[in-house]
Amino acid sequence: MRLTIHPEVQDALIKKRPIVALESTILSHGMPYPDNLSMSKEVSRVIRQAGAIPATIALLNGRITIGLTPEEVERLAKADKVMKLSKRDLAFAISEKLTGATTVSATMVLSHQAGIPIFATGGIGGVHREAHKTFDISRDLEELSSCPVTVVCAGAKAILDLGLTLEYLETKGVEVIGYQTDVLPAFYSRQSPYRLEFKLETPESVARFMRTKQRLGFSSGTVIANPIPHEAELPYDQIESHIINALNDAKLAGVSGKRVTPFLLDALKEKTGGESLRANIALMLNNAKLAAEIAVKYWKI
Ligand code: PSU
Ligand code: MN
């Protein structure tokens, strides 16, 4: 499949310079305008400052685009009827020449096709609470099991069942590595009750891990769980009660399928008076910086 690659990204690919892939659903469905646009600009700035090239991925009129221009980012950030594309939706959207924002799963696939092994996001999707009744398990987890891309995130989103998400990832052979932490970060908070098996302390050690896994020929992805910065953290108990209320709202409103996650993120923003959005932006910037630092080391090994 032909990819439309931004010249700057293409140049970095040829010269084996560090690149960080970025998803676009966080822009179109994860945050409101204009916060999404300023977040995206800041993310690019942070990545460049750390010595890497940002490459936001999306589908524009059916074209797989690796590295959006600032104008294209702005268009996606402003539009209100952009499709949310997971892996399941990609072929259809390409065939119908549609425009859409890519989730973690679709971004992983496209990032891998472009030859970019590292990707930063806010939080991955996972096993939803009550998944035993709804069967709602994010495609992100399947892609992590079958696509060799390292995803830097602040853990799985706290709206999920974090324990079941970890179990699922273990079954699929996906390492969840705490970055300077022994426990799974819970997106808005640094801590959760779930201990992790692996911890790494530096970007170099993450880069070395990526190379080792590559040499083993493993085709699965890796989660680097990077806790939200202290100053932006929301207390676990406080956010938890808002999450329970938001889940109840979703149920009452009959929200299901791919609308669940955007609905919950928006409901939380309302309930926390915008604090969850500020936390989401802070953790995204923190992840972008770490991903860029890892990418820089990765290309030196
Ligand atoms: N992280 C954020 N905000 C988001 C998402 C992640 O901070 O909006 C998006 C990602 O694109 C992720 C998606 O892949 O939510 C998961 O959606 P679902 O639960 O429908 O699989
Ligand atoms: Mn889902």
Side-chain angles (χ1 to χ4, degrees), residues 84 126 128 136-139 257-258 260-261:
K84 173 182 166 188
H128 283 257
D136 192 352
I137 298 175
S138 176
R139 174 70 207 176
K258 65 189 201 179
V260 170
T261 298

Side-chain angles (χ1 to χ4, degrees), residues 185-220:
F187 198 66
Y188 301 115
S189 5
R190 294 177 59 83
Q191 305 263 332
S192 77
Y194 304 99
R195 294 203 76 75
L196 294 176
E197 296 289 331
F198 310 117
K199 168 165 131 176
L200 289 173
E201 299 284 355
T202 62
E204 288 98 306
S205 49
V206 177
R208 193 170 56 237
F209 172 84
M210 287 170 67
R211 290 292 187 190
T212 304
K213 197 164 156 179
Q214 224 171 34
R215 281 199 297 277
L216 284 166
F218 285 4
S219 56
S220 56

